[in-house]
């Protein structure tokens, strides 16, 4: 099956727990209605796992699209499900918070789908639902925001959040070293601090900077939106009269960060983004802003989640692997996109 075959070398697989993402600029924020690129989903080709099998009903829930990455998650999931004649997708609205999503999921559970693919508002708060569904015999594919209890999911697929921080810090440290900058001033604009994924990203960033003898001078937490990115960047610029490098965790909120850069006329530093939006890649290619790189956390994981949920529902494994079942966990590697390689990754931008 083509979705499972692609880029296995870029993933860590785990079997049973063993180790195997101001004005005119704000208008440029990624569209919540953007159609997935061909590279973000895979057609059901002939041969292997792509051959039609047992009809599978997949329940799906993800938070409402308040920024481009989340929108791409839902769009990719729906597009991937539509590629299979043997898949029916039942989506439920996630509501405004974990409690609302929990209520919607209870309704979905009563409909007894074969598999549920779930990107929770908060993995810890929705962990109990995962346990309930698994106990009821309905496998759960936990997408992105992780359940802390491995019993709450059949498969967990997510980006390497710690690895994002490692990749961003490595790029920044090496660039500063090449420029001969001593005692650099480094800023960080994180995402939602209450999410474990944000904490993991910041830890990877801090740990790797420390290995170079560097540290973050000022850290702010935004909300993955352009408006919050602009607000937090403005505060950071006021706190730091001079900056050498900045890591912004999320390319959607990076639209606002770049707006703040222009508003404050701060061009003395370089910036690294996060996730890999199409807009960010285009800016990196054009090389006319402070944004010089971004580290990937691709929403294509939703397409893979649907494809793998289909296999789980059909009691099939991945055709490129010897094992008879789909792995327990998949972590997508975070890769660094620069001007030199942006053209290769642009097709994956959301």
């Amino acid at each position: 099956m083509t979705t499972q075959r692609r880029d296995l070398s870029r993933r860590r697989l785990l079997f049973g727990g063993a180790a195997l993402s101001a004005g005119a600029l704000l208008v440029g924020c990624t569209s919540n209605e953007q159609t997935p690129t061909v590279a973000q989903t895979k057609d059901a080709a002939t041969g292997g796992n792509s051959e039609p099998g047992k009809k599978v009903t997949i329940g799906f829930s993800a938070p409402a699209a308040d920024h481009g990455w989340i929108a791409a998650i839902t769009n990719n999931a729906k597009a991937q499900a539509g590629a299979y004649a043997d898949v029916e997708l039942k989506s439920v609205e996630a509501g405004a918070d974990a409690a609302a999503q929990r209520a919607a999921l209870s309704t979905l559970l009563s409909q007894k789908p074969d598999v549920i693919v779930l990107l929770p508002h908060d993995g810890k708060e929705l962990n109990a639902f995962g346990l309930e569904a698994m106990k009821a015999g309905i496998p759960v594919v936990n997408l992105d925001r992780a359940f802390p209890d491995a019993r709450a999911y059949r498969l967990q697929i997510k980006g390497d959040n710690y690895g994002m921080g490692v990749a961003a810090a490595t790029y920044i440290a090496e660039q500063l070293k090449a420029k001969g900058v001593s005692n650099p001033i480094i800023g960080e604009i994180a995402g939602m601090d209450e999410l474990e994924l944000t904490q993991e990203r910041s830890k990877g960033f801090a740990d790797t900077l420390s290995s170079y003898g560097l540290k973050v001078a000022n850290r702010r937490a935004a909300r993955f939106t352009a408006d919050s990115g602009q607000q937090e960047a403005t505060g950071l610029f006021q706190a730091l009269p001079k900056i050498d490098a900045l890591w912004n965790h999320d390319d959607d909120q990076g639209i606002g960060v770049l707006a703040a850069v222009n508003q404050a006329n701060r061009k003395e530093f370089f910036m690294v983004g996060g996730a890999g939006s199409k807009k960010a890649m285009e800016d990196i290619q054009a090389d006319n802003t402070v944004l010089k790189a971004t580290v990937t956390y691709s929403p294509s994981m939703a397409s893979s989640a649907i494809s793998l949920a289909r296999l789980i529902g059909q009691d099939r494994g991945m055709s490129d692997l010897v094992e008879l079942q789909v792995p327990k966990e998949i972590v997508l590697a975070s890769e660094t996109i620069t001007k030199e390689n942006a053209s290769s990754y642009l097709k994956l931008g959301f």
Side-chain angles (χ1 to χ4, degrees):
M1 175 174 166
T2 54
T3 301
Q4 282 72 39
R5 289 194 186 100
R6 87 177 179 186
D7 297 337
L8 286 177
S9 63
R10 293 163 55 187
R11 300 176 177 175
R12 280 196 298 122
L13 303 179
L14 286 83
F15 292 89
L20 248 164
S21 176
L25 274 175
L26 290 176
V27 177
C29 189
T30 341
S31 169
N32 288 347
E33 302 300 327
Q34 187 172 3
T35 302
T37 67
V38 173
Q40 290 172 4
T41 57
K42 287 291 185 182
D43 290 332
T46 58
N49 287 333
S50 59
E51 292 297 332
K54 168 193 165 186
K55 183 81 172 181
V56 176
T57 300
I58 300 175
F60 176 78
S61 179
D66 60 352
H67 62 287
W69 191 90
I70 284 287
I73 283 286
T74 297
N75 291 341
N76 287 347
K78 290 179 177 179
Q80 190 63 56
Y84 298 114
D86 52 12
V87 169
E88 178 186 1
L89 189 71
K90 289 188 176 181
S91 298
V92 295
E93 297 296 331
D97 53 30
Q101 188 175 26
R102 180 70 175 84
L105 287 166
S106 293
T107 300
L108 180 63
L109 192 61
S110 69
Q111 297 173 7
K112 301 186 185 304
D114 296 298
V115 189
I116 292 175
V117 175
L118 170 60
L119 195 161
H121 272 285
D122 185 290
K124 292 180 180 177
E125 292 188 41
L126 270 299
N127 185 79
F129 171 79
L131 289 170
E132 180 185 355
M134 290 289 288
K135 188 175 181 179
I138 300 177
V140 175
V141 176
N142 177 205
L143 179 60
D144 182 40
R145 298 175 185 175
F147 294 151
D149 191 335
R151 297 173 300 167
Y153 57 85
R154 165 58 184 82
L155 163 66
Q156 187 176 83
I157 178 168
K158 61 182 182 176
D160 186 355
N161 290 292
Y162 185 87
M164 282 184 75
V166 171
T170 300
Y171 178 85
I172 286 173
E174 292 296 335
Q175 290 296 308
L176 292 170
K177 181 179 178 182
K179 295 174 185 292
V181 179
S182 58
N183 300 315
I185 298 170
I186 300 171
E188 179 182 2
I189 300 178
M192 298 164 65
D193 255 348
E194 66 269 27
L195 296 179
E196 185 177 4
L197 63 86
T198 296
Q199 299 160 23
E200 291 174 352
R201 292 175 186 183
S202 286
K203 187 174 187 332
F205 191 57
D207 287 352
T208 305
L209 287 180
S210 178
S211 72
Y212 284 89
L214 305 175
K215 63 181 181 179
V216 174
N218 195 289
R219 180 186 183 278
R220 304 293 173 104
R223 306 293 299 174
F224 295 142
T225 63
D227 286 343
S228 66
Q230 183 176 7
Q231 179 181 342
E232 296 304 329
T234 298
L236 185 141
F237 296 152
Q238 291 171 350
L240 297 177
K242 179 182 180 298
I243 303 174
D244 293 296
L246 172 66
W247 182 35
N248 163 59
H249 286 207
D250 180 80
D251 288 333
D252 283 322
Q253 72 187 25
I255 298 290
V257 174
L258 288 176
V261 168
N262 285 345
Q263 190 175 47
N265 195 28
R266 295 289 296 271
K267 307 290 178 68
E268 80 277 5
F269 64 94
F270 66 91
M271 184 172 93
V272 176
S277 75
K278 183 179 179 183
K279 178 69 168 62
M281 293 187 214
E282 289 172 344
D283 285 345
I284 291 167
Q285 273 190 314
D287 198 21
N288 56 9
T289 73
V290 296
L291 183 63
K292 303 303 178 186
T294 189
V295 291
T296 60
Y297 196 86
S298 178
S300 63
M301 67 177 74
S303 302
S304 296
I306 294 296
S307 295
L308 293 168
R310 170 180 174 264
L311 291 183
I312 290 169
Q314 294 173 341
D315 197 29
R316 293 198 280 181
M318 295 166 62
S319 59
D320 278 356
L321 300 183
V322 174
E323 286 72 20
L324 301 180
Q325 297 294 325
V326 169
K328 174 72 172 176
E329 299 183 19
I330 297 179
V331 181
L332 308 182
S334 184
E335 302 169 50
T336 304
I337 300 173
T338 65
K339 182 180 179 181
E340 288 69 32
N341 64 4
S343 60
S344 298
Y345 286 91
L346 197 57
K347 62 186 177 182
L348 291 173
F350 56 91

